Amino acid sequence: FLGEKYFLSVSRAQEDNNIHLLLEAFSGLESYKLVVVSNWNTSKYGRDLKSRYSGVKNLVLLDAIYDLSVLNAIRSGCFVYIHSHSFCGTAPSLVEMMNLGKPVLSFDAPTNLEATERKALFFKTPEDIKALVKSTSSQDFMIIGVAMKEIACRRYTWDIITNKYFETLTLE
């Protein structure tokens, strides 16, 4: 799949990460490739999803990848990152993809809206995902990617995070 145009999601196989929404949506979007990296075998939820969707031609279901160079190659090669987490706070996986300047299609949750300053595209259902994938032009996705990079550079650098952390410590 590397070298092809693909959507990517990286998350743990647990229900609040909503992988089922992505797989349901993309199983009906045969001309769009979705790559999902997850720890499928650590939960019944993950095993059931992998079993149900592993035969769908446009879905690539990869087991968790701990080699950072391999994971970074997959991340940097994707066309759009799909952040499906619903209860995570400001997720490092989201910030990392924003810092790569990748367009983000995100689950509509308050923390994700805040982290992306509402400049990503948001979904709650498989139908939302399908509609956004079909109706968003490559140029619009590129514009979103530029916005994500700008937000990440302004809000999520190590210097900024470290300074905020020390400010919090000195307030106590």
Side-chain angles (χ1 to χ4, degrees):
F1 65 90
L2 290 176
E4 296 179 57
K5 186 175 180 178
Y6 60 94
F7 291 72
L8 172 68
S9 183
V10 179
S11 66
R12 291 182 308 278
Q14 56 193 50
E15 287 190 49
D16 64 313
N17 285 342
N18 299 300
I19 299 170
H20 59 284
L21 300 178
L22 309 181
L23 296 175
E24 183 180 333
F26 276 85
S27 67
L29 292 168
E30 295 85 12
S31 59
Y32 298 90
K33 185 172 292 293
L34 173 66
V35 176
V36 181
V37 179
S38 189
N39 57 344
W40 304 103
N41 297 317
T42 61
S43 69
K44 181 177 180 342
Y45 172 79
R47 288 187 299 275
D48 289 349
L49 288 175
K50 190 169 186 185
S51 173
R52 179 175 178 186
Y53 290 101
S54 62
V56 180
K57 292 188 189 302
N58 65 315
L59 301 179
V60 178
L61 308 180
L62 300 176
D63 289 328
I65 298 170
Y66 300 102
D67 182 330
L68 205 50
S69 63
V70 173
L71 187 57
N72 285 340
I74 293 169
R75 286 176 173 162
S76 63
C78 79
F79 174 59
V80 174
Y81 179 68
I82 305 178
H83 185 71
S84 58
H85 307 170
S86 57
F87 295 112
C88 61
T90 303
S93 59
L94 174 58
V95 171
E96 289 167 349
M97 296 307 287
M98 291 171 65
N99 212 345
L100 288 174
K102 295 298 178 179
V104 173
L105 177 58
S106 178
F107 187 82
D108 188 348
T111 54
N112 299 335
L113 292 164
E114 174 66 25
T116 62
E117 297 180 358
R118 299 179 182 268
K119 293 180 180 173
L121 296 175
F122 298 95
F123 67 89
K124 285 193 175 183
T125 68
E127 293 74 25
D128 294 342
I129 296 168
K130 286 180 186 179
L132 289 167
V133 167
K134 288 179 179 178
S135 68
T136 307
S137 70
S138 292
Q139 182 176 357
D140 287 341
F141 275 126
M142 288 175 52
I143 291 167
I144 293 166
V146 169
M148 295 300 100
K149 178 71 172 177
E150 187 277 324
I151 294 165
C153 289
R154 182 170 32 84
R155 293 179 63 183
Y156 302 118
T157 66
W158 280 115
D159 286 341
I160 291 168
I161 300 301
T162 303
N163 288 336
K164 287 184 182 278
Y165 179 75
F166 282 117
E167 286 173 17
T168 302
L169 289 177
T170 58
L171 292 175
E172 295 179 359

